[in-house]
Amino acid sequence: MKSLQFTLLALVICGMLNAQEYYFPERNALWEQKNPTEYKVNTERLKAVVDFAEANEYTGSRDLRIAILKGFEREPFHEILGPTKKRGGPAGMILKNGYVIAQWGDVKRVDMTFSVTKSFLSTMAGLAWDQGLISTTQDKAGDYIWDGTFEGEHNSKITWEHLLQQNSAWSGELWGGKDWADRPPREGDIDDWKFEKPKEPGTFMEYNDVRVNVLAYALTHVWRKPLPQVLKENIMDAIGASTTWRWHGYGHAWTEIDGIQMKSVTGGGHSGGGMFINTEDMARFGLLFLNNGKWKNEQLISKEWIEKAITPSVPNSNYGYMWWLNKKGDRYWDGLSQNIYYAAGFGGNFIVIDPKNDMVVVTRWLEPNKIGEFMSKLNEALD
């Protein structure tokens, strides 16, 4: 019996030792690097991955004000409402077990990150869920926000999950943005878009920044404080992020809570605003998710929330709670792990989480349609 107990104990200890131990960089520390060969990564193929990223820079203007106006010129009434910033060149980091095995460009430069912001916004909902501020994502948002934002036969059906999965079909106007004018269909004209009957919440995904900003507005009222403050206090300080990141809203997007004027931030940057952040801080955020919400020995966001966030939605198998998922579907990266999930933003900004290979990949200003090929090349380097 003692022999059996000893054997079981040995197996447990062995399993613990074999479990992947991640490195977590201290604040302001020089991020520790490892030779790729220590992880049996082919150095020549890895160099080819970096060369590919540098050779396939996003073709839009480095003056992002110009790139934004050009990129969304089809939208009626589209204009810049929040801050913008000229961008740098391609940059990125590849982490293996938390260590840097490849890096390129200026990883400390702060740039806009566009819809990568949505994955930060989703995390604000996750923290609210973890702390009991939101009982369940199946709750109607209108049960929490009763100022008219979710009134009416249609909008009253919308749940937190609908907002997080971008299938709410919320109908209305926020900060001057009209839901129907944001990324309108290729067919039809203004009258067709304006008077189209909204789809049933939960049945059809539509990428729409107005509706995302409604979520940011609602979460601001749930937290009763600005979301950048929530992010800083609960996540960014704890993971040792720099002091350089900023989360902006539109210039006029103020709301009053408890007698205090607060800025309601955006979940993207296609009218300006959103998250302005450097590559290293994006990598820290990715490393937190790779380790199931735990930084060193501190659980910052629950594993249960992350599991919910990366569960495919019914209307779109490639989308969870504002994270893209590498599942079979229109955005599937063929030949790569289906456990990969990622944040993606305009201009080729990505935070890729690859649990199978214990990797985090951050790329900035990679031509967006090249990300699948980039990841395939990286996967080849692991063979």
Side-chain angles (χ1 to χ4, degrees):
M1 179 60 105
K2 286 184 178 179
S3 175
L4 177 60
Q5 289 175 337
F6 178 83
T7 302
L8 291 173
L9 179 60
L11 288 171
V12 170
I13 293 173
C14 182
M16 291 173 65
L17 291 174
N18 289 333
Q20 295 295 350
E21 297 254 341
Y22 295 150
Y23 159 75
F24 299 93
E26 299 293 337
R27 184 190 293 275
N28 298 322
L30 186 65
W31 203 308
E32 193 169 333
Q33 301 189 14
K34 290 278 191 181
N35 190 312
T37 58
E38 292 190 38
Y39 295 107
K40 300 181 180 179
V41 177
N42 185 295
T43 53
E44 289 186 7
R45 290 180 179 178
L46 185 60
K47 182 181 181 301
V49 173
V50 174
D51 290 344
F52 181 85
E54 294 182 318
N56 287 277
E57 178 179 350
Y58 168 56
T59 53
S61 173
R62 287 199 178 190
D63 185 336
L64 289 175
R65 188 177 183 86
I66 294 174
I68 291 168
L69 292 172
K70 178 64 178 176
F72 299 98
E73 62 185 351
R74 287 188 65 256
E75 295 186 12
F77 318 120
H78 180 255
E79 58 182 322
I80 304 293
L81 300 172
T84 62
K85 184 179 185 292
K86 292 183 179 180
R87 68 173 177 87
M93 298 174 71
I94 299 175
L95 309 182
K96 183 76 170 75
N97 293 63
Y99 296 97
V100 176
I101 60 169
Q103 180 175 303
W104 62 98
D106 185 353
V107 297
K108 293 187 181 296
R109 178 188 169 91
V110 174
D111 272 334
M112 296 180 72
T113 196
F114 294 92
S115 285
V116 168
T117 309
K118 291 175 174 61
S119 299
F120 285 88
L121 178 60
S122 165
T123 304
M124 299 303 93
L127 290 170
W129 183 77
D130 281 345
Q131 296 185 27
L133 302 180
I134 294 174
S135 176
T136 168
T137 55
Q138 308 302 322
D139 281 351
K140 301 288 198 328
D143 291 341
Y144 295 72
I145 312 300
W146 42 264
D147 61 3
T149 304
F150 296 97
E151 283 186 358
E153 182 182 354
H154 175 77
N155 286 345
S156 64
K157 299 175 184 176
I158 295 170
T159 67
W160 292 107
E161 181 161 279
H162 294 147
L163 291 167
L164 287 160
Q165 293 178 342
Q166 292 212 68
N167 52 44
S168 73
W170 182 86
S171 179
E173 181 176 327
L174 181 69
W175 315 129
K178 301 170 178 58
D179 74 278
W180 58 266
D182 189 305
R183 297 174 177 82
R186 291 287 173 185
E187 303 77 25
D189 57 19
I190 286 181
D191 285 341
D192 296 312
W193 307 330
K194 186 189 299 184
F195 298 113
E196 181 184 12
K197 183 179 179 181
K199 297 176 176 63
E200 189 69 15
T203 64
F204 188 82
M205 180 192 168
E206 292 180 289
Y207 211 78
N208 187 292
D209 273 25
V210 173
R211 294 165 184 158
V212 169
N213 293 342
V214 167
L215 172 61
Y217 171 83
L219 287 172
T220 302
H221 279 263
V222 165
W223 277 103
R224 308 177 91 91
K225 62 174 69 173
L227 295 187
Q229 184 179 343
V230 177
L231 177 62
K232 178 181 184 297
E233 293 173 350
N234 291 273
I235 301 292
M236 300 304 269
D237 283 352
I239 65 176
S242 74
T243 60
T244 63
W245 65 273
R246 299 290 184 272
W247 192 354
H248 291 289
Y250 301 146
H252 61 295
W254 292 95
T255 184
E256 182 178 313
I257 304 175
D258 300 332
I260 301 171
Q261 288 290 316
M262 299 180 189
K263 177 62 67 75
S264 183
V265 293
T266 67
H270 98 296
S271 290
M275 188 71 70
F276 290 52
I277 191 170
N278 70 34
T279 304
E280 285 190 343
D281 287 345
M282 291 171 71
R284 287 175 182 267
F285 186 72
L287 182 55
L288 174 67
F289 275 78
L290 179 66
N291 200 39
N292 291 315
K294 196 174 185 180
W295 189 266
K296 297 182 181 177
N297 296 316
E298 186 177 3
Q299 195 76 43
L300 302 181
I301 186 163
S302 70
K303 183 179 179 180
E304 291 76 16
W305 173 261
I306 294 176
E307 289 172 352
K308 288 171 69 70
I310 61 175
T311 298
S313 59
V314 173
N316 189 334
S317 61
N318 293 124
Y319 205 67
Y321 286 179
M322 297 189 171
W323 287 94
W324 289 98
L325 316 175
N326 192 45
K327 305 295 185 183
K328 292 288 181 69
D330 293 340
R331 293 176 69 116
Y332 177 55
W333 298 338
D334 193 18
L336 300 183
S337 169
Q338 292 194 46
N339 290 327
I340 288 174
Y341 63 100
Y342 58 99
F346 177 84
N349 287 276
F350 297 93
I351 304 175
V352 182
I353 317 298
D354 182 357
K356 177 184 176 183
N357 293 306
D358 300 291
M359 297 184 75
V360 173
V361 179
V362 178
T363 71
R364 315 295 305 270
W365 316 117
L366 172 71
E367 189 64 42
N369 63 10
K370 298 292 185 180
I371 183 62
E373 187 176 354
F374 172 92
M375 290 300 300
S376 292
K377 287 180 177 295
L378 177 57
N379 193 55
E380 290 171 4
L382 305 179
D383 293 340

